[in-house]
Each structure stands twice: as C-alpha cells, then as structure tokens.
Amino acid sequence: MESDIALAPLIRIIELLGTFAFAISGIRHAAAKHFDWFGGYVCGVAVAIGGGTIRDVMLGVTPFWMTAPVYLICTAVALGVVILFAKYMEFLSNTWFVFDTLGLALFTIVGIQKSIACGQPFWVAIIMGCITGAAGGVIRDVLLNNEPVIFRKEIYAMASVLGGLTYWALLELDMPLVVIVTASFLVTCAIRFLAVRYHLSLPVLKDDDERRD
C-alpha cells in the first residue's frame, strides 16, 4: 500500500483534472443560459469546488481550494478555453456531457482517496466520493434554476457509487494503485455513458394517484 506521501501527487493531479473538467461543464451550462463571463466563471467555480468543499468540511479539514490558488486559476483557464473555442464547441452538442462525466469520475476517485487518507472506513469513503463527484452538479443546477441531475431518471450518482465500489474491490485485492484508479475511472464513465446511450435508469417512484391509474 502506497504511503500518503506517495499518494499526494496523484491526488493533486486528479483534483486539477477534475477541476478543469467540471469547470468546463459548469461554464458550458452557463453559456447555454446566456450568462456573462463573470457569471460563467462563478458557475464554473461552484461546480469545480462545490462537492470537494462539502467533503472537506464533513471530514474536518481545510477545503482543498483554500490551500492554493491553482484551482481558481484552473477555472479561469477553463473559462478562457470556452470563450476562445466556443464556436468549435457548438458543433459538439455533447461536450458538456462528456466533461461532466469526466469530472464525476475524477472527483469520485479524489473523494475516496482523501477520505481513506483521513482514516475513514470505506463505506464513508464511497459516500464522500459520491458527494465530491455529484454535489457540484447539484449546486450548478440550483444556480441555473434547473432540476438537479441526480434527481432525474438518468443514472448519475449511482455511477459514482459503482465506481467507488470498484475502487474498494480492487483495493481489497491489493491491486496496484494505477490499476485501481484506472478501473474506477473507466467504470464510472462507462456506466454514465451507457446509461445515457441506452436510456437506462432506476425505477421511478409513483404517488398514490399514479398507482390508482
């Protein structure tokens, strides 16, 4: 098992990749609502740091984005990319979905790793991974006055949970860290992509009127 010192660079890299991916997603959603540049940046920041902030507060540690300005700078770079390449992104109607899925997978891994480093049991780590990956999207949707994606029929948070379970299973098998991270990432992305591609969803709750019908 790698030491916390060995894990730190990997966690930082994944955090930055997740920050960029989620920031792109948030800014793209803001652009669809015709927000100005500042509004787009705020939305990108909210998505990029929202879930991780909730996680860190629950774990009793300093929120990750308060330890270095690189995360806010990363979001600014994402804003610049969207502004400069907006006309090219228009041809990629699913760009926001791809970046959102990448952010979900990357931040799920970060949440799990950070929770384990804080000495939490694995069932807590899986929940923290889900919060890290999905809560930012909830904040984004609230800011944009949209129905939060985790409450829709399409599979979103469950992809994070299953990716976390994959991480745990491979960790129990004492697999190399790179294999664990790669497999967890691919499982989360694959489930999300397949669920949308084939319209897979969890059963929907029905109220009394619908049952009588």
Side-chain angles (χ1 to χ4, degrees):
M1 188 71 64
E2 291 87 345
S3 66
D4 292 346
I5 295 177
L7 283 175
L10 179 60
I11 293 176
R12 176 59 65 88
I13 290 171
I14 296 175
E15 274 186 336
L16 289 175
L17 290 174
T19 299
F20 184 78
F22 260 174
I24 287 282
S25 170
I27 295 165
R28 287 285 292 158
H29 277 81
K33 291 279 188 174
H34 304 293
F35 282 25
D36 62 17
W37 287 9
F38 180 75
Y41 180 77
V42 170
C43 190
V45 168
V47 181
I49 72 172
T53 299
I54 295 173
R55 174 204 66 214
D56 288 345
V57 169
M58 294 181 72
L59 292 176
V61 300
T62 302
F64 71 103
W65 60 272
M66 296 177 66
T67 62
V70 65
Y71 302 101
L72 300 179
I73 295 172
C74 186
T75 304
V77 172
L79 176 65
V81 169
V82 172
I83 292 171
L84 293 175
F85 300 102
K87 64 179 181 179
Y88 300 106
M89 289 185 175
E90 288 177 3
F91 297 103
L92 302 173
S93 59
N94 291 324
T95 298
W96 68 267
F97 165 71
V98 173
F99 278 106
D100 190 64
T101 300
L102 295 177
L104 175 68
L106 291 167
F107 270 15
T108 294
I109 295 169
V110 170
I112 292 172
Q113 291 180 326
K114 197 160 190 178
S115 299
I116 294 174
C118 288
Q120 297 295 330
F122 210 88
W123 62 273
V124 173
I126 292 177
I127 294 173
M128 290 297 104
C130 185
I131 288 174
T132 308
V138 174
I139 296 172
R140 173 201 65 211
D141 290 337
V142 170
L143 289 175
L144 297 176
N145 198 29
N146 293 331
E147 180 184 14
V149 67
I150 66 169
F151 299 145
R152 302 174 198 164
K153 289 194 300 181
E154 62 186 58
I155 294 174
Y156 188 78
M158 280 304 300
S160 174
V161 172
L162 293 174
L165 289 172
T166 300
Y167 192 108
W168 171 75
L170 294 179
L171 189 66
E172 288 295 303
L173 294 174
D174 202 26
M175 299 293 288
L177 182 61
V178 65
V179 173
I180 297 173
V181 169
T182 301
S184 179
F185 174 83
L186 292 177
V187 166
T188 304
C189 289
I191 291 173
R192 179 79 174 121
F193 287 138
L194 291 173
V196 172
R197 173 66 178 82
Y198 295 104
H199 307 288
L200 304 176
S201 64
L202 297 174
V204 177
L205 291 172
K206 296 182 179 180
D207 60 24
D208 291 337
D209 292 336
E210 290 177 312
R211 291 193 184 97
R212 283 195 292 268
D213 293 341

